[in-house]
Amino acid sequence: MEHLTDLNAELRVEKTDARIVFRGKVDTLESEILLAMCDSPTEYQGLLLDAVNLLRQVMSSGVTGKPLTAWTLGGMNAENVQKLSHNPEKMGFAGHIQPSVSNGRLSLQMNRLRALTREAELAAIHAYPEEREDLLLAMNRLSSYFYVLQLRFAQ
């Protein structure tokens, strides 16, 4: 029975079930965000806390099956996060960047969080290929949000 785990209060599934794999990716991502918060100046910790809160909503929604409630990241809704990540120069950034040591540690940590979010997003697509667009949108925009933070923190 050690190969089974609770998906919710009514259902046990194999630990290899795509929904459990997705939850593991979310757990890893949350722990990495919290570690990045430890290295971040106090004034930036709230930006990362927004990401933690969204992930916790995603996890809860995945367990309960209830749709996500309205959320923001850094005061931006999903549409604004996407616009900013696709057109950074319109928002005062120099433009798109590639990860570089010259960008500084915090920017590189945001790039790592972006990469981990992409892995979690792919796991979400496998877990919920069509029925949970709300979760897929949240994970996609979270990846974009970390790119925005990567731009913001680049030196």
Side-chain angles (χ1 to χ4, degrees), residues 19-36:
R19 294 162 293 186
I20 301 304
V21 172
F22 172 59
R23 288 180 189 174
K25 294 286 187 181
V26 169
D27 286 343
T28 299
L29 180 57
E30 180 181 358
S31 68
E32 289 290 333
I33 297 168
L34 292 169
L35 286 170

Side-chain angles (χ1 to χ4, degrees), residues 4 20 56 75 79 84 131 143:
L4 297 177
I20 301 304
R56 289 176 179 169
E79 182 181 346
L84 183 53
E131 68 271 17
S143 170

